[in-house]
């Protein structure tokens, strides 16, 4: 399984997870110059901007650790662009999902709600 296929499988699994939690998947792989958001999903309260990190069981860096300040900044900038183009009254939230995949099979999903916020960035939602 290529890294692209692994990433896609992880995103697919997180979409199913979110739908079971009552979310609607709005957009996948929303891109602007300098940023991408893997999944944008909504429920009755939140617009969730979700970064998915697919990992092998023996990975040295966890999915949450991989979403460092620089990556967070790119996601926040991209989310701001999305919100400007799609005005909504829902509260934005930034989540991270770590998907453990081995031999093409999903072993687990560790989903972190509100993994980080916009503190320290010049964006107001």
């Amino acid at each position: 399984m290529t890294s692209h296929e692994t990433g896609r499988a992880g995103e697919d699994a997180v979409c199913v997870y979110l739908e079971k939690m009552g979310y609607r998947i709005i957009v996948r792989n929303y891109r602007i110059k300098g940023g991408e958001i893997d999944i944008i999903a909504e429920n009755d309260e939140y617009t969730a901007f979700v970064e998915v990190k697919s990992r092998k069981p023996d990975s040295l860096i966890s999915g949450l650790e991989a979403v460092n300040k620089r990556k967070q900044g790119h996601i926040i900038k991209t989310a701001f662009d999305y919100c400007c183009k799609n005005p909504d009254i829902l509260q934005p939230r930034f989540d991270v999902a770590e998907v453990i995949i081995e031999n093409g099979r999903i072993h687990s999903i560790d989903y972190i709600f509100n993994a980080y916020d916009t503190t320290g960035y010049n964006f107001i939602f």
Side-chain angles (χ1 to χ4, degrees), residues 2-73:
T2 68
S3 60
H4 178 74
E5 291 168 334
T6 300
R8 183 71 177 180
E11 288 178 16
D12 291 344
V14 172
C15 284
V16 170
Y17 173 85
L18 287 168
E19 287 170 338
K20 286 181 181 177
M21 299 271 303
Y23 285 81
R24 294 172 305 283
I25 305 304
I26 305 302
V27 181
R28 288 182 65 170
N29 305 115
Y30 181 81
R31 292 178 186 172
I32 64 169
K33 184 177 181 179
E36 178 190 4
I37 298 172
D38 294 328
I39 301 168
I40 300 174
E42 292 181 352
N43 66 8
D44 294 333
E45 294 181 70
Y46 296 100
T47 298
F49 299 99
V50 184
E51 177 67 11
V52 179
K53 292 296 184 186
S54 299
R55 297 280 185 260
K56 293 179 182 177
D58 59 352
S59 181
L60 296 176
I61 298 174
S62 75
L64 187 58
E65 290 172 320
V67 185
N68 58 28
K69 278 295 208 187
R70 183 170 183 259
K71 180 71 173 172
Q72 290 174 19

